[in-house]
Amino acid sequence: MTEPAGTDADERSLRFFADLPVLATADATFDTSRYRPAPDDWVLVVTDIVGSTQAVAAGQHKTVNFVAAMAIAALKNLCAPTSLPFLFGGDGSVVMVPPRFAEAARLALARVRGFALRECGLQLRVGAVPVGLLRGFGCDVLVGRFEPSPGNSFGVFLGGG
């Protein structure tokens, strides 16, 4: 049974990423003992811009990056002040969202998709799945917190999920 919002378990869940050990150097990201299993009820979100290679070749590099970053910004703003693991990939992203924000995240990402197509002419694919469902298929999700400079944390992911 899931505990109601505002409980100690919910607050601990919201602190998942903030409480991970800091990986301060790029070399430290290879120390898999410092990664932790993602909570089953967090949602793993993956975005990707369709045809990004062609868009970049056509001179839209900044627009591609902007759209990819919009998805991250939308989720970080939605979930603030909760610290989220995220990874920017230039033409897409990976972000994890606590369950309390899952439905609102879907709406925010739908808005980003609409903006990307309407204003930038780019199609943004979005996938979102609870971590527990991935584990049910035998795929794990492990998360590390890479912090190359104080207060500037990024998520790093392992496990095939």
Side-chain angles (χ1 to χ4, degrees):
M1 180 173 152
T2 305
E3 300 203 28
T7 65
D8 287 342
D10 184 57
E11 294 306 315
R12 278 192 305 277
S13 176
L14 290 176
R15 293 207 38 83
F16 164 71
F17 186 60
D19 288 345
L20 290 178
V22 171
L23 307 170
T25 66
D27 286 345
T29 64
F30 294 99
D31 181 358
T32 59
S33 71
R34 303 195 53 200
Y35 287 68
R36 300 292 180 264
D40 279 343
D41 56 354
W42 278 50
V43 176
L44 185 69
V45 174
V46 178
T47 69
D48 178 65
I49 296 172
V50 176
S52 59
T53 301
Q54 294 83 357
V56 168
Q60 291 185 286
H61 183 267
K62 288 182 183 179
T63 305
V64 167
N65 285 174
F66 176 72
V67 169
M70 275 191 340
I72 295 169
L75 295 175
K76 286 182 60 102
N77 287 338
L78 172 72
C79 299
T82 301
S83 183
L84 302 179
F86 71 92
L87 186 61
F88 174 73
D91 69 341
S93 61
V94 178
V95 185
M96 283 185 45
V97 178
R100 151 187 318 188
F101 300 104
E103 287 306 312
R106 286 181 177 86
L107 178 59
L109 290 167
R111 289 180 175 145
V112 170
R113 283 185 65 200
F115 179 89
L117 188 58
R118 187 176 58 255
E119 302 297 327
C120 304
L122 296 173
Q123 182 183 354
L124 182 68
R125 288 186 186 125
V126 177
V129 63
V131 170
L133 185 61
L134 291 170
R135 288 199 175 107
F137 286 104
C139 301
D140 204 1
V141 178
L142 303 173
V143 182
R145 191 176 99 193
F146 178 44
E147 193 169 294
S149 59
N152 187 25
S153 294
F154 301 90
V156 283
F157 302 90
L158 291 173

Short mmCIF file of all heavy atoms in Angstrom, two decimals, residues 15-38 83 85 142-149 151-157:
data_model
loop_
_atom_site.label_atom_id
_atom_site.label_comp_id
_atom_site.label_asym_id
_atom_site.label_seq_id
_atom_site.Cartn_x
_atom_site.Cartn_y
_atom_site.Cartn_z
N ARG A 15 13.35 12.83 -1.26
CA ARG A 15 14.77 13.13 -1.05
C ARG A 15 15.69 12.09 -1.68
O ARG A 15 16.90 12.16 -1.52
CB ARG A 15 15.06 13.25 0.45
CG ARG A 15 14.37 14.46 1.08
CD ARG A 15 15.07 15.00 2.30
NE ARG A 15 16.51 14.99 2.26
CZ ARG A 15 17.26 15.94 1.68
NH1 ARG A 15 16.72 16.95 1.08
NH2 ARG A 15 18.58 15.85 1.72
N PHE A 16 15.11 11.15 -2.42
CA PHE A 16 15.91 10.06 -2.99
C PHE A 16 17.18 10.57 -3.68
O PHE A 16 18.28 10.17 -3.34
CB PHE A 16 15.08 9.22 -3.98
CG PHE A 16 15.92 8.34 -4.86
CD1 PHE A 16 16.57 7.24 -4.32
CD2 PHE A 16 16.11 8.64 -6.20
CE1 PHE A 16 17.38 6.44 -5.12
CE2 PHE A 16 16.92 7.85 -7.00
CZ PHE A 16 17.55 6.75 -6.46
N PHE A 17 17.04 11.45 -4.65
CA PHE A 17 18.20 11.90 -5.41
C PHE A 17 19.12 12.78 -4.56
O PHE A 17 20.34 12.63 -4.61
CB PHE A 17 17.76 12.63 -6.67
CG PHE A 17 18.89 13.00 -7.59
CD1 PHE A 17 19.72 12.03 -8.14
CD2 PHE A 17 19.14 14.32 -7.91
CE1 PHE A 17 20.77 12.36 -8.98
CE2 PHE A 17 20.19 14.67 -8.76
CZ PHE A 17 21.00 13.69 -9.30
N ALA A 18 18.56 13.68 -3.79
CA ALA A 18 19.36 14.59 -2.96
C ALA A 18 20.20 13.83 -1.94
O ALA A 18 21.28 14.30 -1.56
CB ALA A 18 18.46 15.59 -2.26
N ASP A 19 19.73 12.66 -1.50
CA ASP A 19 20.44 11.89 -0.49
C ASP A 19 21.46 10.90 -1.05
O ASP A 19 22.15 10.23 -0.28
CB ASP A 19 19.44 11.14 0.40
CG ASP A 19 18.67 12.07 1.33
OD1 ASP A 19 19.09 13.23 1.50
OD2 ASP A 19 17.63 11.63 1.87
N LEU A 20 21.58 10.80 -2.36
CA LEU A 20 22.57 9.89 -2.94
C LEU A 20 23.98 10.40 -2.67
O LEU A 20 24.21 11.61 -2.59
CB LEU A 20 22.37 9.77 -4.45
CG LEU A 20 21.14 9.03 -4.94
CD1 LEU A 20 21.08 9.05 -6.46
CD2 LEU A 20 21.12 7.61 -4.43
N PRO A 21 24.94 9.48 -2.57
CA PRO A 21 26.33 9.92 -2.42
C PRO A 21 26.77 10.70 -3.65
O PRO A 21 26.41 10.36 -4.78
CB PRO A 21 27.13 8.63 -2.29
CG PRO A 21 26.20 7.50 -2.45
CD PRO A 21 24.81 8.02 -2.59
N VAL A 22 27.54 11.74 -3.44
CA VAL A 22 28.01 12.59 -4.53
C VAL A 22 29.16 11.92 -5.27
O VAL A 22 30.10 11.42 -4.66
CB VAL A 22 28.45 13.97 -3.99
CG1 VAL A 22 29.14 14.78 -5.07
CG2 VAL A 22 27.26 14.72 -3.43
N LEU A 23 29.07 11.93 -6.58
CA LEU A 23 30.16 11.50 -7.46
C LEU A 23 30.77 12.79 -8.00
O LEU A 23 30.19 13.44 -8.87
CB LEU A 23 29.63 10.63 -8.60
CG LEU A 23 28.77 9.43 -8.19
CD1 LEU A 23 28.11 8.79 -9.40
CD2 LEU A 23 29.58 8.43 -7.41
N ALA A 24 31.91 13.19 -7.45
CA ALA A 24 32.46 14.52 -7.74
C ALA A 24 33.34 14.58 -8.98
O ALA A 24 33.62 15.67 -9.47
CB ALA A 24 33.24 15.03 -6.52
N THR A 25 33.76 13.43 -9.48
CA THR A 25 34.61 13.43 -10.67
C THR A 25 34.03 12.48 -11.70
O THR A 25 33.27 11.56 -11.37
CB THR A 25 36.04 12.96 -10.33
OG1 THR A 25 35.99 11.59 -9.93
CG2 THR A 25 36.67 13.82 -9.23
N ALA A 26 34.42 12.68 -12.94
CA ALA A 26 33.95 11.78 -14.00
C ALA A 26 34.39 10.34 -13.72
O ALA A 26 33.63 9.39 -13.95
CB ALA A 26 34.47 12.25 -15.35
N ASP A 27 35.60 10.17 -13.18
CA ASP A 27 36.07 8.81 -12.85
C ASP A 27 35.17 8.14 -11.82
O ASP A 27 34.97 6.93 -11.85
CB ASP A 27 37.51 8.86 -12.31
CG ASP A 27 38.53 9.10 -13.40
OD1 ASP A 27 38.19 8.98 -14.60
OD2 ASP A 27 39.69 9.43 -13.05
N ALA A 28 34.64 8.92 -10.89
CA ALA A 28 33.78 8.36 -9.83
C ALA A 28 32.49 7.76 -10.40
O ALA A 28 31.89 6.89 -9.78
CB ALA A 28 33.45 9.43 -8.80
N THR A 29 32.06 8.22 -11.58
CA THR A 29 30.84 7.67 -12.17
C THR A 29 31.01 6.21 -12.57
O THR A 29 30.02 5.53 -12.82
CB THR A 29 30.36 8.49 -13.39
OG1 THR A 29 31.33 8.41 -14.42
CG2 THR A 29 30.11 9.94 -13.00
N PHE A 30 32.24 5.73 -12.61
CA PHE A 30 32.50 4.32 -12.94
C PHE A 30 32.47 3.43 -11.70
O PHE A 30 32.58 2.21 -11.82
CB PHE A 30 33.83 4.17 -13.68
CG PHE A 30 33.82 4.82 -15.03
CD1 PHE A 30 34.37 6.07 -15.22
CD2 PHE A 30 33.22 4.18 -16.11
CE1 PHE A 30 34.34 6.69 -16.46
CE2 PHE A 30 33.18 4.79 -17.35
CZ PHE A 30 33.74 6.04 -17.53
N ASP A 31 32.32 4.02 -10.52
CA ASP A 31 32.24 3.26 -9.27
C ASP A 31 30.78 2.86 -9.03
O ASP A 31 30.01 3.59 -8.42
CB ASP A 31 32.76 4.10 -8.10
CG ASP A 31 32.74 3.37 -6.78
OD1 ASP A 31 32.28 2.20 -6.72
OD2 ASP A 31 33.17 3.97 -5.77
N THR A 32 30.41 1.70 -9.53
CA THR A 32 29.01 1.27 -9.48
C THR A 32 28.50 1.02 -8.06
O THR A 32 27.29 1.00 -7.85
CB THR A 32 28.80 0.02 -10.34
OG1 THR A 32 29.64 -1.03 -9.86
CG2 THR A 32 29.13 0.30 -11.80
N SER A 33 29.41 0.89 -7.10
CA SER A 33 28.97 0.69 -5.71
C SER A 33 28.31 1.94 -5.14
O SER A 33 27.64 1.88 -4.11
CB SER A 33 30.15 0.27 -4.82
OG SER A 33 31.04 1.37 -4.63
N ARG A 34 28.48 3.07 -5.80
CA ARG A 34 27.92 4.33 -5.31
C ARG A 34 26.57 4.66 -5.93
O ARG A 34 25.99 5.69 -5.65
CB ARG A 34 28.92 5.46 -5.55
CG ARG A 34 30.24 5.05 -4.86
CD ARG A 34 31.24 6.07 -4.67
NE ARG A 34 30.77 7.25 -4.00
CZ ARG A 34 31.41 8.40 -4.08
NH1 ARG A 34 32.49 8.50 -4.80
NH2 ARG A 34 30.95 9.45 -3.45
N TYR A 35 26.08 3.78 -6.78
CA TYR A 35 24.74 3.93 -7.37
C TYR A 35 23.73 3.25 -6.45
O TYR A 35 24.06 2.32 -5.74
CB TYR A 35 24.68 3.28 -8.74
CG TYR A 35 25.42 4.04 -9.82
CD1 TYR A 35 26.81 4.14 -9.81
CD2 TYR A 35 24.73 4.65 -10.85
CE1 TYR A 35 27.49 4.83 -10.80
CE2 TYR A 35 25.40 5.34 -11.85
CZ TYR A 35 26.78 5.43 -11.81
OH TYR A 35 27.44 6.12 -12.79
N ARG A 36 22.49 3.72 -6.49
CA ARG A 36 21.42 3.15 -5.67
C ARG A 36 20.23 2.79 -6.55
O ARG A 36 19.97 3.45 -7.56
CB ARG A 36 20.95 4.16 -4.60
CG ARG A 36 22.02 4.61 -3.63
CD ARG A 36 22.47 3.46 -2.71
NE ARG A 36 23.50 3.87 -1.78
CZ ARG A 36 24.81 3.71 -1.97
NH1 ARG A 36 25.25 3.15 -3.05
NH2 ARG A 36 25.67 4.11 -1.06
N PRO A 37 19.48 1.75 -6.15
CA PRO A 37 18.28 1.40 -6.92
C PRO A 37 17.27 2.55 -6.86
O PRO A 37 17.02 3.13 -5.81
CB PRO A 37 17.73 0.17 -6.20
CG PRO A 37 18.88 -0.37 -5.41
CD PRO A 37 19.74 0.82 -5.05
N ALA A 38 16.71 2.87 -8.01
CA ALA A 38 15.66 3.89 -8.07
C ALA A 38 14.42 3.35 -7.36
O ALA A 38 14.15 2.15 -7.40
CB ALA A 38 15.34 4.22 -9.51
N SER A 83 14.76 17.60 -5.78
CA SER A 83 15.89 17.40 -6.68
C SER A 83 15.64 16.16 -7.53
O SER A 83 15.32 15.09 -7.01
CB SER A 83 17.15 17.22 -5.83
OG SER A 83 18.28 17.08 -6.63
N PRO A 85 16.91 13.45 -10.66
CA PRO A 85 18.00 12.98 -11.51
C PRO A 85 17.61 13.20 -12.97
O PRO A 85 16.52 12.83 -13.39
CB PRO A 85 18.11 11.49 -11.18
CG PRO A 85 16.82 11.10 -10.56
CD PRO A 85 16.19 12.34 -10.01
N LEU A 142 19.42 1.87 -11.77
CA LEU A 142 20.28 2.34 -10.70
C LEU A 142 20.65 3.78 -11.02
O LEU A 142 20.84 4.15 -12.18
CB LEU A 142 21.55 1.49 -10.62
CG LEU A 142 21.33 -0.01 -10.43
CD1 LEU A 142 22.66 -0.75 -10.53
CD2 LEU A 142 20.66 -0.29 -9.11
N VAL A 143 20.76 4.60 -9.97
CA VAL A 143 20.99 6.02 -10.15
C VAL A 143 22.18 6.48 -9.32
O VAL A 143 22.33 6.09 -8.17
CB VAL A 143 19.74 6.84 -9.74
CG1 VAL A 143 19.96 8.33 -9.98
CG2 VAL A 143 18.50 6.35 -10.45
N GLY A 144 23.01 7.31 -9.93
CA GLY A 144 24.09 7.98 -9.24
C GLY A 144 23.90 9.48 -9.37
O GLY A 144 23.15 9.95 -10.22
N ARG A 145 24.57 10.21 -8.49
CA ARG A 145 24.48 11.68 -8.51
C ARG A 145 25.85 12.28 -8.81
O ARG A 145 26.71 12.38 -7.95
CB ARG A 145 23.96 12.20 -7.17
CG ARG A 145 23.58 13.68 -7.25
CD ARG A 145 22.98 14.16 -5.96
NE ARG A 145 24.02 14.84 -5.21
CZ ARG A 145 23.95 15.17 -3.94
NH1 ARG A 145 22.88 14.85 -3.23
NH2 ARG A 145 24.93 15.79 -3.35
N PHE A 146 26.04 12.65 -10.06
CA PHE A 146 27.28 13.27 -10.51
C PHE A 146 27.18 14.77 -10.26
O PHE A 146 26.25 15.43 -10.73
CB PHE A 146 27.50 12.97 -12.00
CG PHE A 146 28.73 13.60 -12.59
CD1 PHE A 146 29.95 13.58 -11.93
CD2 PHE A 146 28.67 14.18 -13.85
CE1 PHE A 146 31.08 14.14 -12.49
CE2 PHE A 146 29.80 14.75 -14.43
CZ PHE A 146 31.00 14.73 -13.75
N GLU A 147 28.13 15.29 -9.49
CA GLU A 147 28.12 16.71 -9.13
C GLU A 147 29.50 17.30 -9.46
O GLU A 147 30.36 17.40 -8.58
CB GLU A 147 27.78 16.89 -7.65
CG GLU A 147 27.45 18.32 -7.29
CD GLU A 147 26.86 18.44 -5.89
OE1 GLU A 147 25.74 17.93 -5.67
OE2 GLU A 147 27.52 19.05 -5.03
N PRO A 148 29.71 17.70 -10.73
CA PRO A 148 31.02 18.20 -11.13
C PRO A 148 31.40 19.52 -10.47
O PRO A 148 32.58 19.85 -10.37
CB PRO A 148 30.90 18.36 -12.64
CG PRO A 148 29.44 18.47 -12.90
CD PRO A 148 28.75 17.70 -11.82
N SER A 149 30.40 20.28 -10.03
CA SER A 149 30.66 21.50 -9.26
C SER A 149 29.56 21.60 -8.19
O SER A 149 28.45 21.09 -8.39
CB SER A 149 30.67 22.74 -10.16
OG SER A 149 29.43 22.89 -10.83
N GLY A 151 26.50 22.02 -6.02
CA GLY A 151 25.13 22.42 -6.30
C GLY A 151 24.67 22.17 -7.73
O GLY A 151 23.56 22.53 -8.10
N ASN A 152 25.49 21.53 -8.53
CA ASN A 152 25.19 21.28 -9.94
C ASN A 152 25.17 19.77 -10.17
O ASN A 152 26.14 19.19 -10.64
CB ASN A 152 26.25 21.95 -10.81
CG ASN A 152 25.93 21.91 -12.28
OD1 ASN A 152 24.77 21.80 -12.67
ND2 ASN A 152 26.95 21.97 -13.10
N SER A 153 24.05 19.12 -9.82
CA SER A 153 23.96 17.66 -9.88
C SER A 153 23.23 17.18 -11.12
O SER A 153 22.23 17.77 -11.54
CB SER A 153 23.19 17.13 -8.65
OG SER A 153 23.92 17.37 -7.48
N PHE A 154 23.73 16.08 -11.65
CA PHE A 154 23.12 15.40 -12.78
C PHE A 154 22.90 13.94 -12.41
O PHE A 154 23.65 13.39 -11.62
CB PHE A 154 24.05 15.43 -14.01
CG PHE A 154 24.39 16.81 -14.45
CD1 PHE A 154 25.51 17.46 -13.96
CD2 PHE A 154 23.59 17.48 -15.36
CE1 PHE A 154 25.83 18.74 -14.37
CE2 PHE A 154 23.91 18.76 -15.78
CZ PHE A 154 25.03 19.40 -15.27
N GLY A 155 21.93 13.31 -13.00
CA GLY A 155 21.71 11.89 -12.79
C GLY A 155 22.58 11.10 -13.75
O GLY A 155 22.78 11.50 -14.89
N VAL A 156 23.09 10.00 -13.27
CA VAL A 156 23.76 9.02 -14.12
C VAL A 156 23.06 7.69 -13.85
O VAL A 156 22.69 7.40 -12.71
CB VAL A 156 25.28 8.96 -13.89
CG1 VAL A 156 25.98 10.13 -14.55
CG2 VAL A 156 25.65 8.90 -12.43
N PHE A 157 22.85 6.92 -14.88
CA PHE A 157 21.98 5.75 -14.79
C PHE A 157 22.68 4.48 -15.24
O PHE A 157 23.49 4.51 -16.16
CB PHE A 157 20.73 5.97 -15.67
CG PHE A 157 19.95 7.20 -15.30
CD1 PHE A 157 20.23 8.43 -15.87
CD2 PHE A 157 18.93 7.13 -14.36
CE1 PHE A 157 19.52 9.57 -15.52
CE2 PHE A 157 18.22 8.26 -13.99
CZ PHE A 157 18.51 9.48 -14.58
#
